[in-house]
Amino acid sequence: MKQHHAAKWLALLGLVVMACGGLFYAVSIRHGDWGLIGAGAGLAIVLLAALVAHEAVGAFFAKRSARLGLGSGVAILAVLALVMFLGALSARHHVRWDFSQGQMNTLSPQTVKVLKGLKEPVKAYAFFKDDQAGRMQADEELGKYSYVSRLFTYRFVNPDAEPGLAKAMKVRNYGTVVLVGGGREEQVQLPEEQELTNALIRLGKKGKKRIYFLTGHGEPALDGVAKDDFTSLRKALEAANYEVKSLMLVTSDQVPPDAAVVIMASPKMALMSQEIERLSAYWDQGGAIMLLLDPESDGGLKTWLKAKGVVLGDDLVIDQASRLAGLSPLAPLASEYGFHDITKMMSGTFCFFPQARSVTLETNLPKGIKGEELVKTSPASWATDYKGFLAWYQAQLDKMKQSQGQQGAIELKPGKDDRKGPLSLGAALSKQGQTGKDQAARKVTSRLVVFGDADFANNEFLELAGNHDLALNSVSWLAADDNLVAIRAKSRKNQPLLLQPGQERLLFWIPLVVWPLLLALVGVVIIIRRRRTR
Amino acid sequence: MRAFLAIYRREMASYFHSPVAYVVLVAFMLLTGYFFYAGVSFYTLASLQVMQNPMMMELNLQDHLMGGLISNMSVILLFAAPLLTMRLLAEERKSGTLELLLSYPLSDVSVVLGKFFAAWSVLGLMVAATWVQTILLSFMAPMAWLPLAISYGGLLLMVGAFAAFGVWTSSLTENQIVAAFAGFLPLIILWAVGWAAPLVKPSLGEILKGLSLGTHFQGFPKGLVDTADLAYFVLFIGLFIFLSIRTLEAKRWKA
């Protein structure tokens, strides 16, 4: 009997160990195997207990009630299994009907078409912290995609728990979704329908778009390690699925037709007139150009830009606000963005532009050209004449040397001829045009982005604040990768509700006082009447 | 069928001839009435802000007010349901009337179904009583009736699941308090188990979401009807009614 008693406790212990092991296996991401081992050990203890008390176990099953109980148990297990099977089946093969206003839970026809056309499986990795805002919306959005196509699957990754995966997929921000399919990857920063669908389309496209960097005018290298080289930018572009090449325009008779974007970054010398002609011809036929022009050289493009309505200032922008951010006042800070595809996601971030010139759009742009100023400095900034400033600054430095450190730091103040901020440091233009003649004619869009600074995208500053996003967004807009399909964000009916004071009182008194009282009264009456009749 | 109706009527009578139903109903109306008034006040405040700054966001009555209220109701009902169901079989067991009941020529199926539908009816009545608020509001604001009806439909399924589970826990014990607690706890866990999905392995997360009452309910307030959710609730109700019948049967052969 004592033995049986001990066996009971042993069995209980075994069950507890099993449960704990199972629970640990379920919850632990990395050490789940220990949980399995624990559960196995628990099972072994239970079996051991049964062995120890085998007589009692046998006697129990010999009873009639035990046999009936066993039959009932088997029936219960069978029904449980059936319910689980049906549940799993209904989860795998289900149909949805969306009765919401504005069909909020349904994807647009464009997206459905893209999803139905998937040939290879696509897996989305959503990099979110477990408790991050927006995770639920992302889950819902991705859920809609996987509902439409079985080939689309997704899973959430906590980048803190799986830093290796985040690193391998070059994820820089929380909230990034990486689509993987056909051996390629596409990143989406904002998991909304338009972004996800465009990424899906890009993923399905074979071949990469080519980006050419102009060389031959003293531009910084694309593979150098110096601070002002553009190696980081090249790598970032390659990570975004572009092919980056350099282009010596002076020795080729035209810009290669496969150029998706041509970038000229920080030329030290002016382009030759033939080069400008070739560049101009490329642009007119629907080309896309990005110019990053530091104050010291405009690459000889000032007149060409002027004809497009872009005024390149011969100035230097100084911003005292940058000092608060620990940077030199010669690196103006921009936090005001224009209303443009490039900058629409940038609000709330800063960009820094070390040694920048102003880039302003004329109020009346030439016919057919649409433009928008992209970034603006703070009101505490000003633009001063570049050459004059250099001379003055050198003089100040010399003075400091002569005084042998007696004089403190050089103080910067706006002069009376200086232009006051906010100042524009970059602009984007587009022009609808036509190329070819007669039947071969097709509509094209020429695009141009000009920044009064190249340093913001160089090795030293690219990863600072919002600079990376600004540079990459600009290129993807130029390469027309931003909007392969335009899907209007679903909007619900906006129903603001304003109540009269009387109405508000009604909404308080009726549901909260009158109605409960009425129900209570009915109850009291019924109960009293019933007691009386008894 | 007659046996079922007899049990159903008897249970309904015992609900409404005792204070239980009224106390629960009035308490439920007070709570939902409070949430309703607070929700509307908050919504009107947000409306003011939205009207000053239209870029801010869109406010939608179904998504930002009614859906939330209905989700709140489902949580309150989760606590109310075991209070209504704890009595059903536990009391009969304790007072010995269960043996009497089982000695009548009634099938276990009609006993369980009669009790289940009575509990479901009372819970459904509680849900229906909140329409006073909705109809009142409809005079002041345009309501989207279809998504609203879907939400209420989901809520009815949900309380059906609560009732079925409560009948089963009540069949297990003769102590009403135990029955109520055995009703709350697993329901709360089943309600919230989907929240744990992000914390565990993806494959297990899917299973947790699949088991969760909350996950299967959340589509309804958005106006989304999914056959998987419908199947879940039907299977849930069916399973616990089956288990209750088995427990009653066990009572026969154990005796």
Side-chain angles (χ1 to χ4, degrees), chain B residues 48-85:
Chain B
L48 269 178
Q49 288 166 351
V50 166
M51 285 172 86
Q52 278 157 12
N53 181 8
M55 292 293 283
M56 201 168 81
M57 68 175 291
E58 287 156 337
L59 269 180
N60 183 278
L61 270 174
Q62 174 65 23
D63 292 331
H64 297 111
L65 181 66
M66 298 313 292
L69 289 177
I70 285 160
S71 297
N72 281 347
M73 273 184 224
S74 70
V75 178
I76 304 171
L77 286 165
L78 189 151
F79 289 93
L83 295 178
L84 286 170
T85 54

Side-chain angles (χ1 to χ4, degrees), chain A residues 437-453:
Chain A
K437 273 181 192 150
D438 304 329
Q439 266 101 30
R442 60 189 175 93
K443 280 193 175 152
V444 290
T445 309
S446 309
R447 297 175 182 222
L448 173 67
V449 169
V450 187
F451 282 106
D453 181 42

Side-chain angles (χ1 to χ4, degrees), chain B residues 38-137:
Chain B
V40 171
S41 302
F42 195 75
Y43 189 86
T44 47
L45 193 71
S47 298
L48 269 178
Q49 288 166 351
V50 166
M51 285 172 86
Q52 278 157 12
N53 181 8
M55 292 293 283
M56 201 168 81
M57 68 175 291
E58 287 156 337
L59 269 180
N60 183 278
L61 270 174
Q62 174 65 23
D63 292 331
H64 297 111
L65 181 66
M66 298 313 292
L69 289 177
I70 285 160
S71 297
N72 281 347
M73 273 184 224
S74 70
V75 178
I76 304 171
L77 286 165
L78 189 151
F79 289 93
L83 295 178
L84 286 170
T85 54
M86 64 182 190
R87 224 197 70 249
L88 289 173
L89 286 155
E91 194 182 49
E92 305 234 27
R93 264 189 139 167
K94 177 124 187 184
S95 58
T97 48
L98 188 64
E99 277 77 8
L100 195 66
L101 194 67
L102 291 181
S103 66
Y104 287 138
L106 300 170
S107 68
D108 295 344
V109 178
S110 41
V111 171
V112 168
L113 284 182
K115 286 177 183 274
F116 161 70
F117 276 103
W120 196 0
S121 304
V122 175
L123 286 164
L125 217 66
M126 288 166 71
V127 170
T130 61
W131 273 81
V132 167
Q133 306 160 3
T134 311
I135 289 168
L136 189 64
L137 188 65

Side-chain angles (χ1 to χ4, degrees), chain A residues 467-522:
Chain A
N467 289 8
H468 176 281
D469 292 348
L470 185 65
L472 269 278
N473 289 355
S474 300
V475 172
S476 71
W477 178 74
L478 284 167
D481 273 345
D482 51 339
N483 273 352
L484 295 165
V485 293
I487 298 165
R488 275 176 61 136
K490 287 259 169 69
S491 71
R492 287 163 272 225
K493 223 177 183 176
N494 196 9
Q495 304 172 308
L497 176 65
L498 296 181
L499 297 174
Q500 310 291 332
Q503 289 178 319
E504 205 169 332
R505 273 198 295 276
L506 264 184
L507 289 177
F508 175 83
W509 281 97
I510 293 184
L512 207 52
V513 181
V514 177
W515 183 232
L517 265 182
L518 202 69
L519 289 172
L521 205 68
V522 170

